Amino acid sequence: MDARAEPLIDPWGRPVEYLRLSVTDRCDLRCVYCMGEATEFIPRSEILSLEEVAAVAQAFVELGVRKVRITGGEPLVRRGVVGLMERLGAVPGLEELVVTTNGAQLAGHAHALRAAGVRRLNISLDSLDAERFRRITRTGRLARVLEGIEVARSAGFERIRLNCIAMRGRNDDEIERLVAYAVERGLDIGFIEEMPFGTVEGHDRGEAYMASAEVRARVEAAYRLVEAEPRPAAGPSRDYRVAGWDTRVGFISPHSGCFCASCNRVRVTAEGLLLPCLGREQATDLRAALWAGPPEAASARLRDAIRDGIRAKPAHHELDDQALGQSQVVRFMSATGG
Ligand code: SAM
Ligand code: SF4
């Protein structure tokens, strides 16, 4: 039977249509909420080769996944990533190939990504103040990211969305300014509630936490928001349109608005672990499945392992909203594939 005939449905009846695929846990920034200052990276020998990454993506698409997001760590630090995109861009049945990047190396890659078939980009941007941007990312240069955004705008992506972690006392006074920046350029912007992944030093998650309702109220003090149509295979973002402008503002609320009931996604880490739920530790080793028998049966083994992993998808995460300041999942976001 054609593998496509049986789409991926988890035990709770949710179709899985969306894969977030990490190509590296390394990064050229060190955002305070995402990783420690001296985070150890996975040895290169344990990272999936680009061949293996392509095989994993292909197997998911054969099982009905329509949207793949390439992420990391920072995907643009992985050598050969544009070639991987070209390959994935040609996979029949893959309707949406998208990338999440910190933008630091985007100026040199944006046109090639677009030519490879990447239609939409997410770019993380937490501040428009250079000194503050450096503090949040520990090492980053804002000017490079802004240049990357401008080059991406000229490269003809269908949509570009900025992603911002709203943090009390760190960048919450810039919420309106960030929306204005997006509105003036015809970009979308999403505000994300911070999640407790990995033990970070020098950053108090509990103190910085801001619920989406408060962030939205800040945006609405300056702009009128109207409910937006959801996109196909959309993520958990609750999206609004800025009245009179070509900009959507989204709110991703893993704490204040649990969206597990409509979860349509899974993640694969850079070393090939299928994580059925972001907020749990359990994983299925797809790399082991790839190499567990004769090469000619590798795709079938991969598909079986993916089905096993989806069978283990829990109904909901177990993040405790009363313990926002404590790490609740051992992995850093950079190692999870954000
Ligand atoms: N390096 C790329 C970037 O920054 O866009 C892609 C990987 S990053 C892990 C993906 C997204 O995860 C970013 O938008 C980042 O802000 C978000 N992120 C990182 N740590 C997070 C946390 N603890 N809680 C919520 N979002 C987080
Ligand atoms: Fe790197 Fe992205 Fe994590 Fe920042 S959020 S440290 S850019 S992986």
Side-chain angles (χ1 to χ4, degrees), residues 135-150:
R135 230 179 299 135
I136 294 173
T137 60
R138 291 198 184 99
T139 58
R141 281 180 42 216
L142 176 67
R144 288 186 64 185
V145 175
L146 298 185
E147 185 197 352
I149 293 172
E150 290 311 318

Side-chain angles (χ1 to χ4, degrees), residues 235-259:
S237 180
R238 178 97 195 257
D239 279 359
Y240 298 82
R241 275 187 306 102
V242 177
W245 296 93
D246 183 24
T247 286
R248 288 161 79 110
V249 182
F251 301 94
I252 303 179
S253 321
H255 296 292
S256 65
C258 179
F259 39 68

Side-chain angles (χ1 to χ4, degrees), residues 96-335:
E96 266 201 273
L97 177 60
V98 289
V99 174
T100 294
T101 173
N102 62 29
Q105 303 201 27
L106 190 54
H109 284 92
H111 285 274
L113 290 176
R114 184 66 189 105
V118 176
R119 286 162 44 188
R120 295 195 292 111
L121 274 187
N122 281 11
I123 306 171
S124 298
L125 182 66
D126 296 324
S127 176
L128 287 165
D129 176 279
E131 174 50 28
R132 196 182 264 187
F133 182 84
R134 197 197 51 75
R135 230 179 299 135
I136 294 173
T137 60
R138 291 198 184 99
T139 58
R141 281 180 42 216
L142 176 67
R144 288 186 64 185
V145 175
L146 298 185
E147 185 197 352
I149 293 172
E150 290 311 318
V151 175
R153 286 179 65 208
S154 71
F157 290 96
E158 286 171 16
R159 285 313 291 176
I160 297 173
R161 178 178 168 114
L162 306 175
N163 273 334
C164 173
I165 311 273
M167 292 169 282
R168 191 178 311 286
R170 279 67 167 171
N171 65 355
D172 59 324
D173 57 342
E174 288 193 73
I175 290 169
E176 280 175 32
R177 190 174 166 213
L178 284 158
V179 175
Y181 175 88
V183 164
E184 284 158 15
R185 288 161 183 77
L187 312 176
D188 297 332
I189 183 163
F191 291 97
I192 306 171
E193 290 177 354
E194 184 176 340
M195 289 176 275
F197 294 155
T199 303
V200 293
E201 65 279 341
H203 172 67
D204 184 333
R205 295 191 198 276
E207 186 188 282
Y209 173 76
M210 278 185 85
S212 291
E214 187 180 349
V215 181
R216 198 174 101 196
R218 299 271 186 99
V219 177
E220 286 185 314
Y223 295 94
R224 191 163 70 81
L225 299 182
V226 289
E227 201 89 34
E229 286 288 303
R231 293 220 164 89
S237 180
R238 178 97 195 257
D239 279 359
Y240 298 82
R241 275 187 306 102
V242 177
W245 296 93
D246 183 24
T247 286
R248 288 161 79 110
V249 182
F251 301 94
I252 303 179
S253 321
H255 296 292
S256 65
C258 179
F259 39 68
C260 298
S262 60
C263 183
N264 63 351
R265 65 194 38 210
V266 292
R267 289 173 164 77
V268 172
T269 68
E271 73 268 53
L273 298 177
L274 164 58
L275 306 177
C277 174
L278 182 62
R280 305 268 194 128
E281 301 285 359
Q282 91 206 77
T284 303
D285 189 343
L286 299 184
R287 192 186 209 192
L290 251 176
W291 297 109
E296 59 279 12
S299 318
R301 283 195 304 277
L302 254 187
R303 289 196 299 266
D304 287 346
I306 291 169
R307 286 196 188 284
D308 285 348
I310 301 298
R311 261 180 232 118
K313 191 166 163 63
H316 50 79
H317 68 63
E318 281 185 334
L319 301 178
D320 178 359
D321 292 348
Q322 304 309 310
L324 291 171
Q326 293 157 26
S327 163
Q328 295 177 41
V329 170
V330 176
R331 283 182 314 266
F332 287 113
M333 195 64 155
S334 53

